[in-house]
Amino acid sequence: METAPSTPEIRRPTAGLGIASVTVAKSLDAGTTFVGLSFFERIEELNPVVRAGFEAVGVLPALVWFSVASVLLVTVATETGVLLCRRHDRPATLVRVVGYGFPTVTATAAATHNGLLIVRCWS
């Protein structure tokens, strides 16, 4: 008798996985920003709010503050959406995929851009 192949278990995204992915992506963005601004005079911050933070408290403290604040904001907004979906008996999977996925992709793209600028300035 032959048994049917088992189908892989589909796991729903969790808050922990989402927070971890956003945290890693923001850390890469902050790290490449720090390296670029610290070691290459030709690289400058274009975001006026972040630049004002750099001028007020320094590059590293401002990067840490903005990164932690953005991860917290994403988490609060996403998990509020999840709670609202559950309160109305709606599936919350899409809320987590979009809520954590979009900021993760955006921060990863920013880190990639920063890395490419560093490589270009290094050459």
Side-chain angles (χ1 to χ4, degrees):
M1 179 191 284
E2 232 176 87
T3 59
S6 63
T7 57
E9 180 182 339
I10 297 175
R11 299 182 64 191
R12 296 173 192 242
T14 63
L17 178 62
I19 294 166
S21 66
V22 173
T23 300
V24 167
K26 280 304 297 175
S27 297
L28 289 171
D29 180 20
T32 55
T33 298
F34 180 76
V35 168
L37 293 173
S38 297
F39 297 107
F40 300 97
E41 291 180 13
R42 295 177 6 197
I43 296 178
E44 63 183 358
E45 178 60 50
L46 297 178
N47 183 327
V49 174
V50 175
R51 191 171 48 236
F54 292 167
E55 292 167 2
V57 296
V59 174
L60 187 58
L63 280 171
V64 170
W65 190 90
F66 282 120
S67 296
V68 169
S70 65
V71 171
L72 288 174
L73 182 64
V74 165
T75 302
V76 168
T78 301
E79 293 307 311
T80 299
V82 167
L83 289 174
L84 290 172
C85 284
R86 288 183 177 161
R87 183 175 291 166
H88 297 288
D89 293 324
R90 304 271 190 233
T93 301
L94 186 60
V95 173
R96 280 204 175 119
V97 168
V98 173
Y100 292 117
F102 184 73
T104 298
V105 169
T106 303
T108 303
T112 302
H113 178 262
N114 293 345
L116 292 172
L117 283 176
I118 291 167
V119 167
R120 199 162 106 201
C121 288
W122 200 313
S123 302

